[in-house]
């Protein structure tokens, strides 16, 4: 009997340990739900148990979760869903006729007329048709085919699926820095090479073409760049790309032989005067040949953001443009292994792309609810920028779109030293201290990536106005105290 | 300018083609939604367009999708869901009090009291608690901790997640043959080594220990076996493991240093007299030390099967036992990248593990609906076996559990030749012909794996009784015709 066998008999080592597990998984980081959130949840439990803290509640400004921050669901969406899930309600007089009509149409399209049946793997066909029509309207009539629409489990799953198709050996994928950490996490999981291109903080987080070129040229030494990811409106940075900028990006992707991924989940969230959302698809098509016929593009949308904020349903879709039909078949196969996206999320997406029309009973209320949410977000975007910029040491670019501010903070040398001793990123140290003293939960910039020597945090716009004001002021005060303490 | 550049200027090659795409994805096969289903959907479209066929409808017996086959949702489940999604209904007198209580409890546990908020990544804590209590009751009081429960997007996502943690370099994973193709697909995606152990068709698809040993020994030459997957009740094979058999499997996994994956999604679907579902967790714990303390196990359940058949909601969970806490943290991180499982599916799972209790208003109806579904399935399991075994050339093992029959069919030599000419597996050829002539959609055995030289198909028990009878008879008749044609 050798030593290993002997040991096995005494205490069997675990098969799966941190040393033997999948190393790619170990390399994944996901800051939005990382150590800060885990600590916040601990603090919440302690508060419940009656432990005294310098605050009475945790304010979760770490994640774009509108309903968690008190935003109410859009009535029409939930009415149709209730009708779909419990069709006995179709005979109830307390639901408007247009909601019933939508529900009946969805149920007709479900196998066995039940949302409990699997759908086709790319989603219910009628809903894919509605998505295509919605895109056509959004893009001023440029055609969209339901066959190129894949519904998904949130936008996240669609992004992972397209990246998975694209990554072969030594594949390089360009992502913005700062980025939404789904990208870096997925690239670690797929063992792809992450190519960072830096957004220009000095110019309102602009996407600079020279920087794209620099990043690509440099990367060509060590990998085969094949994909360019753009997030517009930006997460966490909130910039909204101009049409000219999008055109340049498209020309660049075309010339450099890159597949373009356009993360457009914040397309309804544009606040700044003069800013407008332009879809990559529309610009691409309007640029004409050869771009419109040849550039490969996947664009993503979600029902978690916008005015609906229905994160829990995990609804989303991707539209693919100019994708090789044989690859598209492979994508279908890959999605079929997971059977289908959640059907309630598909149904919800259906109402987002096919909302009540003028003249229908729910139209007025729907429009009012939608506009209220978006106007409120716009006001909070302006307020956030204003309050942060009143505080010396904090500098916040205009929040042109999306749901976050991403201010830069100056940290004093002693804070940097202390963080180093603790083995923490300096902004992680700041955010942890903020959490411990104020209950405010924001995510350090290091979780998204940032230029070396700069420090940031991401905070959502989502707390209700009064709470947001308090929060912004508390945060500024804490910042003053923190910098004094470590000066 | 070199040739490549020149070509790029003329016609830009696609970035992503079948030659340049991720080769692992290309290697994935998923028969349950493969070419047979695609052809069935084409035929459905043709029927709709009025094209004449020798049949009037497609009968989808390819996938365990109860609602698609006309099974009605369990009333209580859908009532609670409608209340959760549209809480205005909480004041309606047409919902029973216990349904309202359940809905209020779920909403209390949601951030912002909305199912539209993200939940914690492993699921809503209250629901994890209920799952743990349910497992304790199922297993005669053996403790289960909510911290070891991870809710998921169907069982499929949980299975993929645990396998992903386990697969490092040259990792071997033992799976039964025939298997549910999620396993082979996931192993291809993860680039793991698939180790086949063959179930014993001559003995009612028994899991034979000598065969397990043979498969493992042989595999040790080419990989590092680390995982043993068991499906109980079996899919597609329907066998239900005896307690003794489970004990042997546990001892084997312990001695051979394997992590055990128990796919127990059909735990409510046991039909044969003398058969009983024993959970791996219960048997493991009752075996005592060293097994109960050391053997690493993950067990999976789903709300897509059982009596509820709510596939569209993508609800599921896994319980991990004896998992290294550091790895469990990594699992949490991995799930957090996808944010959370769909909340309506979590809510549904809550009713499955916490159904109406005696004395509550919904108890009687719930029990009646549940028993009706299960009794119906039992009857159809017996009928299927009986009718197939009346047909010389078809041989069907007893369907002890799950939702499928997996009969063996003798195919005449000329059919084998013809299939070979077409480049098809012989049972794929049979199933395609069956589909074209009768509209019946079943999945060839080659999609699940089978002993070389044997041919099977998988058919669900789910069509309504009268339709199932017709289908079984039509299938037998087609078999006679087919064998004559190719004799």
């Amino acid at each position: 009997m050798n030593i290993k066998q002997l040991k096995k008999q005494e205490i069997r080592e675990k098969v799966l340990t941190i040393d033997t597990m999948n190393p790619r998984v170990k390399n994944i980081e996901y800051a939005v739900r990382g150590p800060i959130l885990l600590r916040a949840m601990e603090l919440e439990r302690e508060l419940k148990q009656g432990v005294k803290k310098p605050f009475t509640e945790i304010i979760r400004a770490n994640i774009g979760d509108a309903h968690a921050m008190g935003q109410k669901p859009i009535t029409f969406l939930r009415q149709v869903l209730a009708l779909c899930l419990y069709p006995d309600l179709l005979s109830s007089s307390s639901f408007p006729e247009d909601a019933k009509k939508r529900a009946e149409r969805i149920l007709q399209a479900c196998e066995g007329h039940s949302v409990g049946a699997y759908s086709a793997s790319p989603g219910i066909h009628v809903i894919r048709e509605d998505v295509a029509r919605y895109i056509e309207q959004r893009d001023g009539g440029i055609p969209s085919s339901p066959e190129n629409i894949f519904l998904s489990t949130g936008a996240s799953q669609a992004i992972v699926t397209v990246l998975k198709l694209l990554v072969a050996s030594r594949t390089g994928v360009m992502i913005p820095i700062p980025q939404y950490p789904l990208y870096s996490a997925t690239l670690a999981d797929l063992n792809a090479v992450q190519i960072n291109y830096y957004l220009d903080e000095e110019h309102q987080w602009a996407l600079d073409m020279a920087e794209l070129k620099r990043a690509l040229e440099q990367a060509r030494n060590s990998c085969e760049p094949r994909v360019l990811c753009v997030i517009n409106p930006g997460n966490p940075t909130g910039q909204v790309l101009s049409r000219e900028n999008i055109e340049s990006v498209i020309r660049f992707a075309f010339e450099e032989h890159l597949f373009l991924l356009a993360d457009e989940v914040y397309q309804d969230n544009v606040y700044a005067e003069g800013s407008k959302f332009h879809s990559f698809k529309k610009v691409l098509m309007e640029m004409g040949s050869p771009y419109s016929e040849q550039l490969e593009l996947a664009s993503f949308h979600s029902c978690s953001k916008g005015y609906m904020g229905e994160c829990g349903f995990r609804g989303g879709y991707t539209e693919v443009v100019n994708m090789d039909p044989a690859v598209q078949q492979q994508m279908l196969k890959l999605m079929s292994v997971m059977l289908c996206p959640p059907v309630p999320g598909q149904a919800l997406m259906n109402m987002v792309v096919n909302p009540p029309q003028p003249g229908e009973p729910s139209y007025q209320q729907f429009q009012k609810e939608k506009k209220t949410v978006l106007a409120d977000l716009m006001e909070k975007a302006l307020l956030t920028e204003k309050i942060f910029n009143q505080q010396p040491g904090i500098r916040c670019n205009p929040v042109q779109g999306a749901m976050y501010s991403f201010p830069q903070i100056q940290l004093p040398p002693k804070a940097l030293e202390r963080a180093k001793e603790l083995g923490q990123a300096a902004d992680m140290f700041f955010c942890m201290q903020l959490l411990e003293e104020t209950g405010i939960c924001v995510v350090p910039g290091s979780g998204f990536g940032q230029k070396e020597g700069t420090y940031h945090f991401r905070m959502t716009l989502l707390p209700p106005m009064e709470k947001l004001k308090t929060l912004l002021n508390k945060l500024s005060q804490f910042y003053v105290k923190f910098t004094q303490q470590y000066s």
Side-chain angles (χ1 to χ4, degrees), chain A:
Chain A
M1 192 179 278
N2 66 28
I3 291 173
K4 202 177 164 197
Q5 281 171 325
L6 187 72
K7 201 168 166 195
K8 232 193 250 174
Q9 283 220 333
E10 285 169 2
I11 297 183
R12 181 176 178 275
E13 301 161 66
K14 288 206 183 287
V15 175
L16 184 58
T17 68
I18 205 82
D19 296 325
T20 63
M21 70 175 280
N22 185 337
R24 293 181 181 186
V25 173
K26 219 161 30 182
N27 289 338
I28 292 174
E29 282 180 31
Y30 192 70
V32 176
R33 299 206 143 193
I36 288 273
L37 182 65
L38 293 176
R39 180 64 187 142
M41 288 165 73
E42 268 176 35
L43 288 171
E44 252 171 9
R45 274 194 293 274
E46 291 177 18
L47 280 174
K48 266 193 194 159
Q49 290 158 4
V51 180
K52 276 266 169 282
K53 299 275 167 199
F55 48 87
T56 55
E57 63 166 340
I58 298 292
I59 301 174
R60 296 200 191 184
N62 61 303
I63 189 162
D65 190 354
H67 290 201
M69 288 288 104
Q71 184 183 309
K72 293 282 161 271
I74 303 288
T75 306
F76 180 75
L77 270 48
R78 293 302 191 88
Q79 285 176 329
V80 178
L81 284 172
L83 292 161
C84 286
L85 264 67
Y86 191 54
D88 280 16
L89 293 169
L90 285 165
S91 58
S92 155
S93 58
S94 44
F95 287 80
E97 285 309 310
D98 53 348
K100 289 184 188 174
K101 231 174 88 185
R102 292 287 196 299
E104 273 164 355
R105 184 160 172 271
I106 292 169
L107 289 172
Q108 280 296 331
C110 291
E111 298 291 328
H113 297 179
S114 170
V115 292
Y118 291 119
S119 75
S121 299
I124 293 171
H125 205 273
V126 163
I127 301 180
R128 296 165 75 199
E129 288 169 15
D130 283 2
V131 170
R133 207 170 313 136
Y134 165 81
I135 292 173
E136 286 179 0
Q137 281 165 8
R138 182 195 68 187
D139 291 345
I142 290 167
S144 169
S145 159
E147 304 311 315
N148 295 334
I149 308 291
F150 295 78
L151 301 182
S152 58
T153 308
S156 301
Q157 185 228 350
I159 292 170
V160 170
T161 300
V162 173
L163 282 173
K164 186 179 274 186
L165 288 169
L166 276 158
V167 169
S169 170
R170 294 177 57 249
T171 300
V173 179
M174 304 185 74
I175 64 171
I177 298 294
Q179 52 116 15
Y180 175 56
L182 168 68
Y183 290 93
S184 52
T186 304
L187 298 183
D189 190 6
L190 294 171
N191 204 25
V193 180
Q194 176 179 323
I195 306 170
N196 298 335
Y197 66 89
Y198 288 82
L199 300 174
D200 183 0
E201 186 167 15
E202 303 311 310
H203 296 88
Q204 306 193 357
W205 297 114
L207 200 173
D208 176 54
M209 296 313 298
E211 166 60 11
L212 269 189
K213 205 153 194 88
R214 177 210 62 77
L216 184 72
E217 290 312 320
Q218 198 174 319
R220 288 213 197 274
N221 301 323
S222 58
C223 67
E224 291 177 18
R226 176 185 275 184
V227 192
L228 171 57
C229 300
V230 180
I231 311 176
N232 179 46
N235 175 5
T237 42
Q239 83 285 13
V240 177
L241 299 185
S242 71
R243 193 188 158 97
E244 293 66 42
N245 208 169
I246 293 175
E247 285 180 10
S248 307
V249 170
I250 288 172
R251 269 191 295 270
F252 175 81
F254 183 85
E255 279 156 19
E256 301 295 349
H257 205 237
L258 301 171
F259 190 110
L260 200 53
L261 252 68
D263 181 338
E264 304 180 322
V265 301
Y266 295 99
Q267 57 189 268
D268 288 323
N269 300 97
V270 176
Y271 314 118
E273 221 173 304
S275 286
K276 186 172 180 288
F277 171 74
H278 303 274
S279 78
F280 269 86
K281 162 92 179 291
K282 178 167 195 260
V283 177
L284 173 63
M285 288 301 155
E286 289 178 350
M287 285 169 74
S289 184
Y291 309 102
S292 57
E293 294 147 10
Q294 293 183 37
L295 190 78
E296 297 150 82
L297 167 72
S299 152
F300 304 91
H301 197 16
S302 158
C303 60
S304 302
K305 311 300 170 190
Y307 56 91
M308 45 285 179
E310 294 277 14
C311 311
F313 284 84
R314 317 303 303 115
Y317 72 78
T318 180
E319 181 186 30
V320 296
V321 179
N322 293 324
M323 187 183 255
D324 183 333
V327 175
Q328 213 157 315
Q329 280 305 107
Q330 294 283 325
M331 182 161 160
L332 199 60
K333 180 186 73 178
L334 190 54
M335 300 192 87
S336 75
V337 177
M338 284 296 155
L339 299 162
C340 71
V343 175
Q346 296 186 41
L348 193 77
M349 189 45 99
N350 192 222
M351 274 80 80
V352 172
V353 297
N354 184 11
Q357 297 302 308
E360 290 185 332
S362 303
Y363 180 73
Q364 300 288 352
Q365 188 183 356
F366 177 86
Q367 286 296 326
K368 194 178 148 216
E369 290 177 353
K370 174 178 172 178
K371 281 178 187 158
T372 304
V373 171
L374 292 175
D376 188 50
L377 283 170
M378 184 181 288
E379 207 183 325
K380 293 194 278 191
L382 292 172
L383 180 83
T384 298
E385 179 199 344
K386 193 175 130 205
I387 296 192
F388 276 142
N389 285 328
Q390 285 167 354
Q391 177 58 54
I394 304 186
R395 217 194 52 208
C396 183
N397 269 322
V399 182
Q400 298 173 335
M403 288 186 172
Y404 316 97
S405 60
F406 194 68
Q408 183 171 155
I409 44 175
Q410 303 291 329
L411 295 179
K414 277 191 190 160
L416 306 187
E417 280 165 33
R418 182 73 191 117
K420 209 173 174 184
E421 287 165 24
L422 294 168
Q424 278 180 345
D427 44 17
M428 172 66 95
F429 176 60
F430 174 82
C431 292
M432 273 291 186
Q433 296 298 108
L434 175 72
L435 175 64
E436 297 288 345
E437 293 200 24
T438 66
I440 300 170
C441 182
V442 299
V443 188
S446 46
F448 303 89
Q450 54 200 352
K451 231 165 114 177
E452 205 167 317
T454 68
Y455 307 101
H456 301 77
F457 59 84
R458 187 187 83 164
M459 190 183 101
T460 72
L461 306 175
L462 295 169
M465 182 56 89
E466 284 314 304
K467 196 174 261 186
L468 182 68
K469 274 185 198 157
T470 316
L471 188 158
L472 289 165
N473 288 322
K474 260 181 148 179
L475 212 157
S476 294
Q477 285 158 19
F478 172 81
Y479 174 77
V480 172
K481 192 181 147 200
F482 179 88
T483 43
Q484 283 168 352
Q485 188 181 345
Y486 289 99
S487 283

